[in-house]
Amino acid sequence: GAALGIKEQAVRYLVMMTSLEESVRVFLPTWSASPPLRLYMSAWDHNGEGRPKKLGKPDKVHALPEIVWWDTLGELCCSCDRGRLMEEAPCVLKLAPAALSESWSSTAELPTQESLGRGARVEQVGADATGSFFAVADNLGGPPGPRRRMVFCSSKGGWYCEGKRDGCPSLMDCSHVSAAKAALRLDEGGVSVADQMILRLSEPLSMAALSWLEAWNGELPKIGVCPAVGTSRAQGGGDAGLSEEERYLVGLLERRPHEQATCAGDSCF
Ligand SMILES: [Zn+2]
Ligand SMILES: [Zn+2]
Ligand SMILES: [Zn+2]
């Protein structure tokens, strides 16, 4: 079928956050501000209908978790290619936290370098049979503020830093791998572990996030900025306004009654 809109892909992402078993995994940083100013999220392939990438050393179907955060200007940033290269084009990974932040983002204070730097210097972000993932903070004091890098340690002990794409050395340990190794060597307490965030569709947070996505007009929210009401960029815009199919999907998610013929049975919402 035709490529699904970014909005419907974001709805699917939220739905995939409802199960521990799903291939979409989202992690809350340890000791972070509340509400959280960043999330670690399973990567998403935006091509075609869109699909999640499993956690793993990067290849066609695997990727390290991406990092999505609010910056000191109150804007959402994302480490994924789409988020970095096309700032104006929202990615699914920005849209999902935008939807989950709808209750507080317009009225909150702007994040500071200090609040963005809060938390563990090294934290584990998921682990499975293939290895463990770590987020390593960097540049805590300098402009433009804290940065985090994802690092992977395979179960066989091989290390990989995503910074290899832009500057981390490939033949010796970069500062991120060294920091992760040092954190793991500490006997006391060990390394902090980020909790996985599981959504329950019946909870107000999820309902509000889905309604927000349904009404989304194509503009990403900013912290401290009230969204313009009634101004619709919708006219003729690709994603603006849900298609019938999208409306139906959102309806299913909200457990609206639907016809027997369209019920998917056991796996149905
Ligand atoms: Zn992104
Ligand atoms: Zn590195
Ligand atoms: Zn049904």
Side-chain angles (χ1 to χ4, degrees), residues 161 163 168 174-177:
C161 175
C168 287
C174 61
S175 59
H176 314 109
V177 168

Side-chain angles (χ1 to χ4, degrees), residues 4-6 8-14 16 23-24 41-54 63-64 66 80-82 91-93:
L4 293 183
I6 191 92
E8 186 176 354
Q9 293 192 22
V11 168
R12 284 174 54 218
Y13 197 98
L14 287 179
M16 289 179 186
S23 36
V24 157
M41 307 176 68
S42 284
W44 184 262
D45 178 349
H46 290 82
N47 292 313
E49 298 193 337
R51 67 195 165 94
K53 286 187 156 187
K54 286 196 166 159
L64 304 190
E66 301 286 0
C80 85
D81 287 342
R82 186 179 166 108
C91 60
V92 163
L93 303 187

Side-chain angles (χ1 to χ4, degrees), residues 19-36:
S19 164
L20 266 176
E21 320 305 326
E22 280 277 13
S23 36
V24 157
R25 305 181 70 191
V26 173
F27 297 87
L28 289 162
T30 52
W31 320 338
S32 78
S34 176

Side-chain angles (χ1 to χ4, degrees), residues 227-239:
V229 178
T231 57
S232 177
R233 302 199 323 189
Q235 319 298 335
D239 280 321

Side-chain angles (χ1 to χ4, degrees), residues 144-254:
R147 207 170 45 170
R148 284 174 178 81
R149 293 281 197 202
M150 291 305 310
V151 162
F152 175 64
C153 178
S154 79
S155 47
K156 290 181 183 136
W159 287 84
Y160 172 84
C161 175
E162 64 158 5
K164 287 209 169 81
R165 288 185 304 205
D166 45 28
C168 287
S170 49
L171 294 178
M172 51 185 237
D173 286 352
C174 61
S175 59
H176 314 109
V177 168
S178 299
K181 282 183 172 174
L184 285 172
R185 270 197 304 270
L186 291 177
D187 288 332
E188 296 284 318
V191 61
S192 314
V193 177
D195 282 329
Q196 189 174 348
M197 179 181 182
I198 307 287
L199 280 189
R200 316 225 178 274
L201 284 179
S202 54
E203 282 176 1
L205 171 74
S206 321
M207 305 290 268
L210 288 167
S211 311
W212 182 90
L213 266 180
E214 190 174 11
W216 182 59
N217 70 353
E219 220 156 318
L220 281 172
K222 282 189 187 183
I223 287 183
V225 176
C226 271
V229 178
T231 57
S232 177
R233 302 199 323 189
Q235 319 298 335
D239 280 321
L242 287 176
S243 67
E244 273 307 301
E245 190 185 350
E246 288 166 334
R247 246 176 251 292
Y248 172 71
L249 181 61
V250 171
L252 283 186
L253 300 181
E254 292 175 347

